[in-house]
Amino acid sequence: MTGTEKNDVRTFRAMTLWLVMAGALSMLFAGTASAVTVSGLYNIEVAVDGTGTNDLQAGYAEGLRRVMVRVSGTRDVLQLEGIDDVLKDAESLLLSYQVRRESGESRLQMSFGAVGVNRALASINAPVWGANRPLTLVWAAIEDRGERKLLTAAADDGEQGDSAVADGRRAFLAAAEERGLPLAFPPQSVQGDRALLSDLWGQFVGRIKEASSDLSHDALALLRISRSGGQWRAGWVFDGMSMDASEQSVTAADPEELARRAVGRWADAYASRYAVAAGEVGEAPRVDIVLEGVNSLADYGNVGKALNSFTPVVSVGASRVRNERMTVQVTFTGELDQLKEYIALDPRFVVMDGQPEETVPAPRRVTAVAPVAEPNGAEEPGEAGDQYPEGAMFVYQPLDDGDEQDAEQAFESLYQVLYYRWQPAPVVRGGGS
């Protein structure tokens, strides 16, 4: 057999393998989870007394304290041995910061390095909860002055509507931002459904699940909120994600603290299942990169060569293929933002629309949300009304269909999934007569 024939055989075998992988993985990816990537987990804003060195140092430590709770998934991290030393060195983990004035108050906005924070957590034997997190659809009812009302998503025009509903929604979304927990509420169209309200108050799951069938979610939380004298109570049951289905509850003196305690319990439960143990964080971080438009063996090879040529890349691991989409796992050094900067220099990697940025946001950044407000309808970033609090520091982006091998692997990934379109350089053909 000649060299050319051997090459043809190898090419045929590779093409056959490519087609088999594509077909098999198409079946594997049918019916994926509704997980979302939470971008900006390492961004935080805190109030500071001024811009002096001591003021800023205190702000850095407070910001890192909140970020470490959000990323570890538990407030217990603040009790671990060694946490004080980590917080004293908070400035070393900063990527960037800015101070702004608002209503006579100084606000310090910070962006910490994801890799650095994750390693710091691992150094004190704390878990790390990754950027891909389950989306919880919250069916909540509040009893206010003897009347029960559903908490729903804000109107498309941003109208506040009923104050008790709006205040309750804001309290839970603010608590969710604090803990980095993706939450969504059902659309306003269910507001007048007395049957659903009755089932929710009785915590009967059946019809609630049916009404949720067209709304993106990984788990349902059936929540009822009531007040007796000066005490507020929230009781809930979960459905999905193998969460504890028994009724649980918290009490507090005000709705804001009630929301913080309830959401804190939810975050603790998710993190206890999906956070990565300190020993598994490792020195070499890995990120999944999803590329559209990879439709030939030549593209497949050129993607690998391009990624391997970037200075931060240590290795390009196993890849998965479905139709014209390829997902590769890249091991890198430094911070994720540095890898993204190198990729941005190669025009063949075109950032997909909607990919969130990890930089410190400008004041009052508009927050994108997962498409959960209406069945089968995706909202565009910047059109979210008050689905999330004004000035929120991070973004929810739905994981595209099929970019995770399975739900468990997606939830256990530490870093956000990066999305690009592969655009090979055009072939320049020489002229001639």
Side-chain angles (χ1 to χ4, degrees), residues 262-284:
V263 170
R265 290 274 293 274
W266 301 352
D268 288 346
Y270 281 127
S272 67
R273 178 174 179 184
Y274 293 112
V276 173
E280 298 177 19
V281 172
E283 286 299 310

Side-chain angles (χ1 to χ4, degrees), residues 11 20 78 118 122 172 178 199 289 304 362 373 398 408:
T11 300
V20 170
L78 301 180
N118 291 351
F172 272 85
E178 183 179 334
D199 282 4
I289 298 180
E408 295 293 324

Side-chain angles (χ1 to χ4, degrees), residues 118-169:
N118 291 351
R119 286 176 178 164
L121 286 167
S123 73
I124 58 174
N125 203 33
V128 178
W129 189 17
N132 303 320
R133 301 189 172 189
L135 175 62
T136 302
L137 180 60
V138 182
W139 286 84
I142 183 170
E143 191 171 63
D144 180 49
R145 298 182 179 88
E147 184 180 2
R148 294 171 183 171
K149 303 171 184 176
L150 282 170
L151 300 189
T152 60
D156 291 338
D157 58 7
E159 183 181 344
Q160 297 299 308
D162 185 278
S163 61
V165 171
D167 291 346
R169 178 178 62 244

Side-chain angles (χ1 to χ4, degrees), residues 220-232:
L220 299 175
L222 279 64
L223 172 70
R224 52 187 181 187
I225 304 167
S226 58
R227 178 172 57 176
S228 178
Q231 190 81 348
W232 288 82

